[in-house]
Amino acid sequence: MTRAKLNATVGRLTVEGAVDLQAIRREGRAEDYTITPVDERRTESEASGRFNPERIRVILSGISLLAAYISEELGAATTLYLPLYTLAIISGGWGNARKAFFALPRLNFNMSVLMTVAVLGAAAIGEWAEGAVVAFLYSVSEMLEAWTMQRARRSIRELMDIAPKVARIRRASTDAEVPVEDIVVGDVMVIRPGEKIAMDGRISKGESAINEAAITGESVPTEKGPGAEVFAGTLNINGALEVEVTRRVQDTTIAKIIHMVEEAQAERAPSQAFVDRFAAVYTPLVIALAAAIALLPPIALGYEWGAWVYRGLALLVVACPCALVVSTPVSIVSAISNAARNGVLVKGGVYLEAVGALRSIAFDKTGTLTRGEPVVTDLLPLQARSETELLQVAVNVETHSEHPLALAIVRMAEERGIRPDPADDFSAITGRGATGVSEGRSVYIGNLRLYEEQGVSIEPTRKQVHDLQQEGKTAMIVGSGDGFLGIIAVADEVRKSSKDAILELKRAGIERTVMLTGDNEQTARAIAAKLGVDDYRAELLPEDKVAAVKELNHQYGEVAMVGDGINDAPALATATVGIAMGGAGTDTALETADIALMADDLSKLPFAVRLSRSALRVIKQNIGFSLVIKLVAVLAVFPGWLTLWLAIIADMGATILVTLNGIRLLRLRP
């Protein structure tokens, strides 16, 4: 064995190298872990659903306790009810005592040690009934705590079950069901309507609507055809598809999401790290204080031993930091799991808490607030021509060009059903436009400089061009020997979700939103006004974006940067939290950012902020509630008001309440 890593939160032990499974299982039993290989986990979980030893012991403890209490109240002999109390103590406290047995040699005075000492101490001073109550109630508490944690972990298993375990593969002209582990890159999957897609791939034949909610959290199906990417775990709705596999099963997007969510749940958030450090100091102090309460009054002041030993035991029980220790991890696990189910991949509790504290968010423009793809926004025909005639002349010339602005014109023509009649003698004029011969005349398409250099007066179009530029659009003038035919305006289209996302972020408490772009001042100003961002910075190089993020960080303390995860990497790394757009299928976005929005829009960002702030609020509630309950109960020890069974009920109640409060985060929806 070369390396081992335990993620107790999700119940996964990763071991590298040659290992002895039986030896690992023996070590696991010493720590009260049951070691099950991943491929056997489903069978084991089904078996445990039918027979659960811990549940049997809890039931036996409860029945024995009830029978002993009734026997004692009816005046039965000690020889009848005392063995029943003993059985209740042994069956209820067995798991706890076992953990304490392995913890004590390491001087690890944990919660199991506290409970075991309290139960044995109660029996030693003749308080059999109360010792049995403590053993039973604490075993119930642990069972409920395990159940609530299992609820949070279940979301990971649901992710694992999203993708089918077999796929229909076409080989040698025949279709066969093949386990996903045996599928290789280049295989062709045949996917029928209504079936889930088993592997990441690229459509080679067919068209269909794909429900990608499992990956992006977006429930509206996406229309896809040949050349489009599809992901494992998504649902093919209405068309037959042939898909070429592009990733092995362990490399699919859903596999990466599962792995990163598991890793994120193992990362300790700042509040969780604080609780762990606090508990490590707090527990020995409690043991020392309990010993002092039990020993000093009888020894120093001559008080009765039984009463003060009893109070010391009650303090051990009530001061057990169970609720405090579980208060944070169950909240973190619930929030990160919920985020993953809704298309937001959070890479750790530290980032979850950081998002909850954000005051400012900076956005890259191209590809984040906008689609990063120019589209035709205005067709302004001149000389009494129609939009169709203007577009026909323009596409005849631009069909030869690969320039993004030309491609926007070609796409618009396709949408309107206009077929190009390619111009002759096409020539691209760098930085100015293009020219060609269409319908027997020379046609020019370009900016103002193109016509100025040709010595053509552009006064008839200057005002319209200026107005379009003020709106952040690029204006192209179409002209020929007959004069100006019209103006075509192109702009990087703003995402439909961007404006609503900015508004929702402000409602969620974000004080400052800033757009960062390399575009010119006019374009930046127009788009910023359209979106409603508080500020914008234009004509920025990558290093300028880094400087802008540092400035925001200095002003507001906590700042996030939202970008595409590639060219914005320096700014993403500089921000308190880096948030990447379009994580679905994008390795760079998944790897570089602290948080990835799996859908390629901003609609999930306000949800992520609200979820993070809710998580912070729940964590603070849980920690505060746990500490207050402990303080009140400890104060009740000294006058003798606190009995052992009241102490365990207070401890158990606090633990259950904080776990249930944390698990509420699973229910928060966009």
Side-chain angles (χ1 to χ4, degrees), residues 37-288:
V38 172
D39 54 358
E40 297 177 16
R41 181 172 295 182
R42 185 179 299 276
T43 304
E44 291 284 339
S45 64
E46 290 170 357
S48 65
R50 293 188 295 269
F51 178 76
N52 188 324
E54 292 181 8
R55 192 179 305 159
I56 297 299
R57 285 197 292 268
V58 170
I59 294 172
L60 179 59
S61 178
I63 293 173
S64 303
L65 175 62
L66 181 61
Y69 178 76
I70 293 174
S71 300
E72 186 178 12
E73 289 298 310
L74 293 177
T78 305
T79 53
L80 177 62
Y81 64 77
L82 199 58
L84 290 173
Y85 279 133
T86 304
L87 179 60
I89 288 174
I90 293 173
S91 55
W94 175 260
N96 219 29
R98 195 166 173 275
K99 294 177 189 175
F101 175 78
F102 290 107
L104 276 174
R106 300 194 301 268
L107 299 180
N108 179 14
F109 298 101
N110 57 23
M111 292 172 281
S112 296
V113 173
L114 298 186
M115 289 298 103
T116 302
V117 170
V119 171
L120 294 178
I125 62 174
E127 298 289 348
W128 291 93
E130 298 209 11
V133 168
V134 169
F136 168 67
L137 291 180
Y138 192 73
S139 64
V140 171
S141 172
E142 285 206 312
M143 187 176 68
L144 292 174
E145 179 186 324
W147 176 78
T148 51
M149 284 295 290
Q150 196 65 22
R151 279 281 309 273
R153 291 173 181 168
R154 192 181 304 160
S155 59
I156 296 297
R157 293 202 304 274
E158 289 171 355
L159 280 176
M160 293 176 179
D161 292 337
I162 283 174
K165 305 306 178 189
V166 296
R168 190 177 296 104
I169 299 297
R170 178 162 294 168
R171 292 174 180 168
S173 301
T174 60
D175 297 348
E177 299 282 347
V178 178
V180 291
E181 293 81 6
D182 298 334
I183 298 174
V184 298
V185 173
D187 276 341
V188 175
M189 292 187 296
V190 179
I191 304 161
R192 297 169 182 168
E195 291 183 341
K196 280 189 175 182
I197 299 169
M199 305 282 285
D200 284 11
R202 188 176 295 107
I203 297 175
S204 56
K205 184 178 180 181
E207 295 183 354
S208 181
I210 308 294
N211 186 331
E212 298 183 325
I215 301 293
T216 65
E218 179 55 61
S219 59
V220 179
T222 304
E223 296 289 339
K224 294 196 174 187
E229 280 191 283
V230 294
F231 307 110
T234 57
L235 178 65
N236 177 31
I237 295 181
N238 54 16
L241 297 175
E242 291 184 13
V243 175
E244 180 184 351
V245 175
T246 56
R247 290 191 178 106
R248 296 176 302 169
V249 64
Q250 61 266 37
D251 298 326
T252 61
T253 301
I254 192 69
K256 290 178 181 177
I257 292 173
I258 292 168
H259 175 70
M260 289 183 177
V261 171
E262 289 182 339
E263 291 295 310
Q265 291 179 342
E267 294 290 332
R268 298 206 177 278
S271 57
Q272 187 174 351
F274 160 76
V275 167
D276 290 343
R277 291 195 303 270
F278 178 84
V281 175
Y282 168 86
T283 305
L285 289 178
V286 164
I287 293 176

Side-chain angles (χ1 to χ4, degrees), residues 389-640:
E389 288 179 286
L390 174 62
L391 192 55
Q392 180 72 69
V393 173
V395 77
N396 290 348
V397 176
E398 297 289 25
T399 192
H400 293 288
S401 176
E402 294 296 326
H403 193 281
L405 299 182
L407 295 178
I409 292 175
V410 172
R411 283 194 298 271
M412 172 63 80
E414 289 175 351
E415 291 172 7
R416 297 200 175 188
I418 298 174
R419 292 188 175 184
D421 180 13
D424 299 322
D425 299 328
F426 171 80
S427 176
I429 306 172
T430 305
R432 292 158 180 78
T435 183
V437 177
S438 176
E439 299 176 358
R441 59 184 172 177
S442 294
V443 176
Y444 290 86
I445 303 176
N447 54 27
L448 295 177
R449 289 176 59 191
L450 173 65
Y451 291 93
E452 288 173 345
E453 291 178 1
Q454 298 289 331
V456 178
S457 173
I458 45 96
E459 287 306 317
T461 64
R462 186 182 294 277
K463 183 179 185 307
Q464 288 171 296
V465 169
H466 179 266
D467 291 343
L468 291 169
Q469 288 176 339
Q470 289 297 111
E471 297 174 13
K473 301 173 182 177
T474 299
M476 294 179 286
I477 305 170
V478 183
S480 70
D482 300 332
F484 294 115
L485 307 180
I487 301 171
I488 299 177
V490 176
D492 186 3
E493 188 178 22
V494 172
R495 294 180 186 273
K496 293 180 180 179
S497 61
S498 296
K499 185 173 182 179
D500 289 340
I502 297 295
L503 183 60
E504 287 298 320
L505 286 170
K506 291 181 179 179
R507 288 175 178 167
I510 299 299
E511 298 176 21
R512 192 79 172 169
T513 55
V514 182
M515 183 183 75
L516 308 179
T517 178
D519 262 348
N520 61 66
E521 177 77 17
Q522 288 180 329
T523 300
R525 185 190 312 117
I527 292 180
K530 185 180 296 185
L531 292 172
V533 295
D534 298 312
D535 193 9
Y536 69 91
R537 313 284 172 84
E539 300 177 10
L540 301 181
L541 297 173
E543 55 267 31
D544 298 325
K545 290 185 180 181
V546 171
V549 169
K550 287 181 178 178
E551 180 186 334
L552 289 170
N553 194 39
H554 178 72
Q555 290 179 348
Y556 294 95
E558 304 288 342
V559 61
M561 173 68 190
V562 187
D564 60 14
I566 301 173
N567 56 0
D568 296 311
L572 289 171
T574 304
T576 309
V577 182
I579 303 174
M581 292 283 291
T586 307
D587 292 340
T588 306
L590 289 174
E591 291 168 6
T592 59
D594 305 318
I595 294 175
L597 305 179
M598 304 306 290
D600 198 20
D601 63 63
L602 292 172
S603 62
K604 302 296 182 183
L605 185 55
F607 163 70
V609 172
R610 287 200 306 273
L611 178 63
S612 300
R613 295 196 167 174
S614 296
L616 276 180
R617 188 163 54 249
V618 166
I619 289 169
K620 290 175 182 177
Q621 289 170 355
N622 284 350
I623 292 175
F625 176 73
S626 302
L627 292 175
V628 168
I629 287 293
K630 297 302 176 191
L631 178 61
V632 171
V634 167
L635 293 177
V637 168
F638 297 97

